[in-house]
Amino acid sequence: MPTDDIAAGNAVASGLDPDLYFLPYGYEQRGTPEYFVDGEQDGVVWQPDVYPFAAQVALANDCDVVIDLGCGRGGKLVALQAAQPGWGYIGVDIGPNIAWCQQNLPFGQWIEADLETCRTLPLPAEVLRRTVLVCSDVLEHLVRPEVAMDLIGSLLHGGARAAVLSTPARELRAGPADPGPPRNTSHVREWASREFRAFVRARGLEIADFSLTRSDDAGGGRTTQLALIQSRVWPGKGAAR
């Protein structure tokens, strides 16, 4: 995985492997993750605070469009649309999840795109200028997460005002020394917080705010990383291919 030279050098010094998405040297990734079917979850709401936070970011930036990268069956957007019915919603996913959205959700725009290969979306600049991006607990499912990160960078460079990212904090779930692969068979890898921040920076993105948030509304604790991205670090630098 090509990376920024400075970020890579800093990571090597701190025991992170820039060729392994800034995970520790020797971490074992899952080669073939299971496709995650976004169905019923026994009433548990996962990452319950991520989309409300994204809505706050949208209001603060005078945005009225939310693009959800890896939207699943759109349940979080359904809840957000009930609170903000005048906003525009665009969900992006692949396979049965996005097909379900297209067939069952009467609002929004539902785009089928593979986040493992898609580095751009055909959206006009006037829409992007009113947009906040969300990519919530998706990156850990991807064999090639750098492609999704480059898509996020492309949309920000095209005018999107901010991106909200979340992903599990390995140090609080399995422990910082856990060698992988993750217990969740649909996850390829899970980053500890410092590793994820290094990975984001290496893709040319600047973290404006970082915190931990609840993993669920059933007492799971603050074991999910929440990052706010507001600008490209190097807007003139093309993403590595």
Side-chain angles (χ1 to χ4, degrees):
M1 181 190 70
T3 60
D4 170 67
D5 291 341
I6 295 175
N10 292 339
V12 170
S14 60
L16 306 183
D17 186 349
D19 294 321
L20 197 64
Y21 304 102
F22 293 86
L23 291 157
Y25 285 92
Y27 183 90
E28 183 180 352
Q29 302 181 101
R30 175 171 284 106
T32 307
E34 294 181 3
Y35 177 86
F36 176 71
V37 178
D38 186 17
E40 293 295 327
Q41 301 292 331
D42 297 326
V44 175
V45 177
W46 298 95
Q47 302 84 46
D49 303 318
V50 172
Y51 288 73
F53 176 73
Q56 293 174 8
V57 172
L59 291 169
N61 286 276
D62 295 322
C63 293
D64 61 359
V65 178
V66 175
I67 298 178
D68 191 353
L69 301 173
C71 64
R73 292 191 177 185
K76 304 288 179 54
L77 291 185
V78 169
L80 191 53
Q81 195 267 347
Q84 299 288 350
W87 289 6
Y89 299 94
I90 300 172
V92 181
D93 214 318
I94 194 171
N97 286 333
I98 198 67
W100 190 95
C101 293
Q102 292 168 340
Q103 295 166 9
N104 292 279
L105 297 181
F107 69 94
Q109 179 181 356
W110 308 101
I111 298 174
E112 182 162 15
D114 186 353
L115 297 179
E116 301 269 13
T117 61
C118 177
R119 281 189 164 95
T120 186
L121 291 174
L123 297 171
E126 58 266 25
V127 172
L128 290 178
R129 284 193 293 267
R130 297 156 40 215
T131 288
V132 167
L133 310 170
V134 180
C135 188
S136 179
D137 279 50
V138 171
L139 294 168
E140 64 273 12
H141 293 263
L142 303 177
V143 174
R144 300 182 64 210
E146 74 274 21
V147 177
M149 293 298 291
D150 289 350
L151 171 60
I152 291 166
S154 172
L155 295 172
L156 287 168
H157 187 48
R161 301 296 296 276
V164 175
L165 314 180
S166 70
T167 193
R170 190 185 74 251
E171 74 272 26
L172 300 173
R173 301 258 183 114
D178 181 79
R183 197 178 329 173
N184 187 327
T185 55
S186 69
H187 290 185
V188 176
R189 69 191 67 77
E190 292 176 355
W191 290 273
S193 297
R194 74 184 185 102
E195 301 159 6
F196 184 65
R197 291 195 296 266
F199 169 61
V200 171
R201 174 74 185 185
R203 299 318 299 176
L205 300 174
E206 184 69 59
I207 297 177
D209 185 70
F210 181 89
S211 62
L212 296 171
T213 188
R214 292 186 296 166
S215 65
D216 57 70
D217 64 354
R222 295 181 180 274
T223 62
T224 292
Q225 303 178 57
L226 181 64
L228 173 64
I229 315 296
Q230 287 190 306
S231 65
R232 296 294 302 273
V233 177
W234 307 291
K237 178 179 178 181
R241 296 296 190 266

